[in-house]
Amino acid sequence: MAVEDAVARETLAARAEAREIDVVIECAGVEAAVRSGLEWVRPGGRYVQVGLLSGLVSIPFGLVVLREIEIRATFGNSPTGWMRATELVAQRAVD
């Protein structure tokens, strides 16, 4: 979910507080987005790192352990691949 407007931010904040976010997919490669994503995903949820981060990144690994967050990483490299992946997620064809 993009957080581009106030309504989207409020919705995201409410869902994160209620621990309703099953999967977070970080695509920007921004350290602050990594930390936010790990804070938003529910306990036992899945965090996927797609965005390429540069250098060393500080993340709250204690949070990952305490909440038993599953972390995955992948590399996406073409606009066509991104569009297909977005379609599959929207169709709930992938976990």
Side-chain angles (χ1 to χ4, degrees):
M1 173 186 295
V3 188
E4 298 175 354
D5 61 50
V7 173
R9 280 191 297 274
E10 289 175 19
T11 301
L12 180 60
R15 293 199 64 199
E17 187 174 328
R19 301 287 190 244
E20 295 176 344
I21 299 176
D22 296 322
V23 178
V24 169
I25 304 172
E26 197 286 324
C27 300
V30 176
E31 184 174 348
V34 172
R35 285 192 306 273
S36 293
L38 290 169
E39 290 171 4
W40 292 341
V41 70
R42 69 168 176 76
R46 180 179 293 173
Y47 173 89
V48 181
Q49 183 63 47
V50 179
L52 189 58
L53 296 141
S54 63
L56 298 176
V57 176
S58 176
I59 64 168
F61 219 81
L63 181 69
V64 172
V65 173
L66 291 173
R67 291 191 182 169
E68 299 178 323
I69 298 168
E70 178 184 342
I71 296 180
R72 300 272 178 118
T74 188
F75 180 72
N77 60 1
S78 74
T80 304
W82 279 106
M83 292 179 74
R84 180 68 181 137
T86 302
E87 290 170 1
L88 290 171
V89 170
Q91 296 168 2
R92 296 191 173 276
V94 294
D95 289 341

